[in-house]
Amino acid sequence: MAFSNMEAALDAPLLRVDDASISASSVSTQKRDASAGAGVFALLIALTVGDIVLGAILFDRFGEIYAQYLNLATAACYCVASTAAVLWRRAPRRAPARLLVVIGVLNGGGNFFQAVGQPHTPGITQSLLSATLSVPLVLSLSLLFLGKRPSRTAAGAAALVVAGAACSAFRSRLGASRALIDAGGEDDGGAGGIVVEWYAVALFAVAQLVFSAERVLEESVFARALEGLDATTMFCWTMWVQFVLYLPLLPSQQLPALGGLTPPQILPVERDGLWCTLGRTAATPAGLDLPGCDLVNTALFFAYVAVDGCCYCYGLYVIKRYGASAMVVAGSVALPLQQVVFCAPFLVGRRYAESLYGADVAALALVLAGFVGFHRLSPEGALRG
């Protein structure tokens, strides 16, 4: 009996030490995961900021007439690059083909509407629509189709993100003051040098609805495929479907809102878009408002291709690892950062520089609070350590 008691007395501390070691190891692992997650989201935010800023400038510089050319040309670049990456990495070939085709159609359709809307939608409005629509839509669709009900903390944090976007939406009416530029002394409402058209803003909003459905479907496909599908393979499938989809969409440029071209003008305009990419201004077809092109167009095009392609593929990785909701909440942090970039003439040029308002500071605080609440405080947060 005495021996049994002594054995128990000796074993008890050892068990406690083992439990403590396991607990310490678990905490250490959680902290490493949280640190890695912070790096993942920081890179996603940086890529998103660059993607939106470059996209707004690129589509405005090329003009509405080359919007569909840009869709086709960028998709072609992504097809070549992603196919080479899949072959070089020898990524798994097995993939749910039909679902990947649907994802490609959603992405291509969303990009079609967005490309048409971008030339006449202010950069800050693009940011606002992306944030105010994407977060609630993705959370709602995740609940509806994936059965993922957000916790109260996550829902509250998402509400802060949307509130930050709404704060910026009414930025010019909140008694804010200018900080960087207002050359004419008139309230530009954040439009900068872009001519705003209602149909363009509406099409850009529709694009965000399509993109939200796409992100939820991507998460579902990754979950079904488990480890058998990586982000590069999904990106490759999506880009090829997108490229094929754009070809029958070219005749849509006959619509007045999409360019108002005649059938004989469509292919020459696509050819001229290629010349514009190479820095050459086209003189034909006659009677069209063709933009002036130089090597700035070339640099913008390839910079956008690099950043946009990396942003989309990396976003797929984040969705696979953390889920669509985590991805869109993190992407929303880019909203106030984009505004800072758009309000800095030395970064985007005076043509694209917009007014900075005090409401932007409030928006930044709200969005950052929402991001921290979602990823650090909620049960489903990716940065809990």
Side-chain angles (χ1 to χ4, degrees):
M1 178 71 69
F3 177 78
S4 298
N5 291 338
M6 182 178 67
E7 185 179 39
L10 291 172
D11 284 343
L14 290 174
L15 289 174
R16 285 196 295 271
V17 170
D18 290 342
D19 289 344
S21 299
I22 293 172
S23 178
S25 175
S26 176
V27 170
S28 177
T29 300
Q30 289 178 352
K31 288 183 177 179
R32 286 197 301 268
D33 291 343
S35 298
V40 168
F41 288 118
L43 180 56
L44 175 65
I45 292 167
L47 286 172
T48 303
V49 171
D51 186 31
I52 297 297
V53 171
L54 284 172
I57 296 174
L58 176 77
F59 279 89
D60 178 68
R61 189 173 180 90
F62 274 75
E64 183 180 273
I65 197 167
Y66 291 144
Q68 297 313 308
Y69 158 77
L70 287 173
N71 266 339
L72 195 62
T74 53
C77 292
Y78 302 149
C79 287
V80 173
S82 61
T83 301
V86 168
L87 295 175
W88 179 68
R89 295 180 62 249
R90 297 182 180 179
R93 302 296 197 277
R94 299 180 62 184
R98 286 179 295 180
L99 291 175
L100 293 180
V101 169
V102 174
I103 290 173
V105 171
L106 289 174
N107 185 262
N111 278 316
F112 171 77
F113 292 125
Q114 184 163 279
V116 173
Q118 270 183 324
H120 297 295
T121 301
I124 287 181
T125 302
Q126 295 175 26
S127 303
L128 297 175
L129 290 174
S130 298
T132 56
L133 295 179
S134 295
V135 173
L137 278 172
V138 168
L139 289 176
S140 299
L141 292 174
S142 294
L143 172 62
L144 184 62
F145 294 105
L146 304 181
K148 297 179 65 174
R149 181 182 297 277
S151 64
R152 292 183 178 179
T153 303
L160 285 177
V161 171
V162 175
C167 181
S168 291
F170 297 100
R171 57 204 299 272
S172 63
R173 291 182 171 84
L174 294 179
S177 61
R178 314 191 187 286
L180 292 180
I181 69 162
D182 190 2
E186 298 180 357
D187 187 358
D188 63 0
I194 295 176
V195 178
V196 182
E197 299 287 354
W198 69 267
Y199 70 83
V201 177
L203 288 175
F204 194 90
V206 170
Q208 308 317 306
L209 301 179
V210 177
F211 287 144
S212 297
E214 177 200 354
R215 287 163 184 149
V216 173
L217 180 57
E218 286 165 351
E219 180 180 350
S220 176
V221 170
F222 276 130
R224 293 183 186 185
L226 299 177
E227 298 300 322
L229 178 65
D230 64 10
T232 307
T233 302
M234 181 179 283
F235 179 65
C236 183
W237 274 82
T238 302
M239 292 304 104
W240 277 107
V241 173
Q242 185 181 122
F243 179 78
V244 173
L245 176 65
Y246 286 156
L247 295 176
L249 287 176
L250 289 177
S252 65
Q253 294 178 89
Q254 298 176 69
L255 298 174
L258 305 182
L261 303 180
T262 62
Q265 292 175 328
I266 293 176
L267 291 182
V269 165
E270 301 307 305
R271 176 203 64 204
D272 295 341
L274 176 60
W275 284 119
C276 186
T277 301
L278 299 177
R280 173 180 167 183
T281 301
T284 58
L288 297 178
D289 184 18
L290 300 174
C293 304
D294 52 33
L295 292 179
V296 173
N297 293 69
T298 306
L300 276 173
F301 177 84
F302 288 106
Y304 176 76
V305 166
V307 174
D308 182 65
C310 289
C311 184
Y312 182 75
C313 191
Y314 191 70
L316 291 176
Y317 166 76
V318 174
I319 289 174
K320 179 181 181 180
R321 183 170 177 181
Y322 298 105
S325 299
M327 184 265 194
V328 296
V329 170
S332 297
V333 177
L335 167 63
L337 298 180
Q338 292 165 19
Q339 292 177 349
V340 171
V341 173
F342 275 120
C343 293
F346 63 92
L347 291 177
V348 298
R350 295 190 64 84
R351 172 176 171 79
Y352 302 102
E354 302 177 358
S355 301
L356 182 66
Y357 297 96
D360 296 325
V361 178
L364 175 60
L366 287 170
V367 171
L368 287 177
F371 173 80
V372 172
F374 189 96
H375 285 291
R376 185 76 178 178
L377 303 179
S378 71
E380 55 265 67
L383 304 182
R384 293 172 62 87

